[in-house]
Amino acid sequence: QVQLVESGGGLVQAGGSLRLSCAASGLTFSSYAMGWFRQAPGKEREFVAAISWSGTSTYYSYFVKGRFTISRDNAKNTVYLQMSSLKPEDTAVYYCATDRTGWGHNEADFGSWGQGTQVIVSS
């Protein structure tokens, strides 16, 4: 079955950087667009970024655009989220997911999910 495993989360000071990774197995990774979502305490899960199956197209939520970069390595079955200029409001559990529609930006467009990795940004 499809398995997504996120890693790279941790505690970082405001203004710092982190790179999240999501390793995929059990699917033809290069056939899927992928996305990153996040869920802060007491809030609903929200879309962060998406990348097409080829990696040539990306899309970001307004609140991370210019600070976060999504990328992928199809040879390694891995999608990344490089996060820079982190803010305390970026504190959340970050999830990767497979896009089952081809180019979705809503939670319902995504099928398989990882278990998440915690990011805490201190002020």
Side-chain angles (χ1 to χ4, degrees):
Q1 71 273 19
V2 176
Q3 187 172 18
L4 303 174
V5 180
E6 300 95 336
S7 61
L11 174 64
V12 63
Q13 288 190 331
S17 299
L18 280 176
R19 188 176 83 154
L20 307 183
S21 299
C22 170
S25 60
L27 76 167
T28 305
F29 180 73
S30 59
S31 297
Y32 287 85
M34 297 292 295
W36 285 95
F37 286 74
R38 70 185 186 186
Q39 187 168 22
K43 296 188 177 181
E44 293 186 352
R45 190 155 54 184
E46 61 184 1
F47 172 80
V48 174
I51 188 166
S52 62
W53 63 270
S54 64
T56 56
S57 296
T58 57
Y59 183 80
Y60 299 91
S61 285
Y62 71 92
F63 48 78
V64 302
K65 198 169 186 180
R67 300 188 299 123
F68 291 11
T69 301
I70 188 171
S71 62
R72 66 190 297 159
D73 185 337
N74 285 344
K76 295 182 178 179
N77 285 6
T78 301
V79 61
Y80 304 97
L81 186 68
Q82 177 68 48
M83 305 186 296
S84 302
S85 302
L86 283 162
K87 305 175 181 180
E89 51 263 43
D90 294 319
T91 294
V93 177
Y94 283 74
Y95 301 88
C96 68
T98 59
D99 184 343
R100 55 186 174 186
T101 67
W103 194 233
H105 304 137
N106 300 307
E107 188 171 346
D109 298 327
F110 291 77
S112 300
W113 295 81
Q115 82 291 345
T117 185
Q118 177 75 60
V119 171
I120 300 173
V121 184
S122 63
S123 57

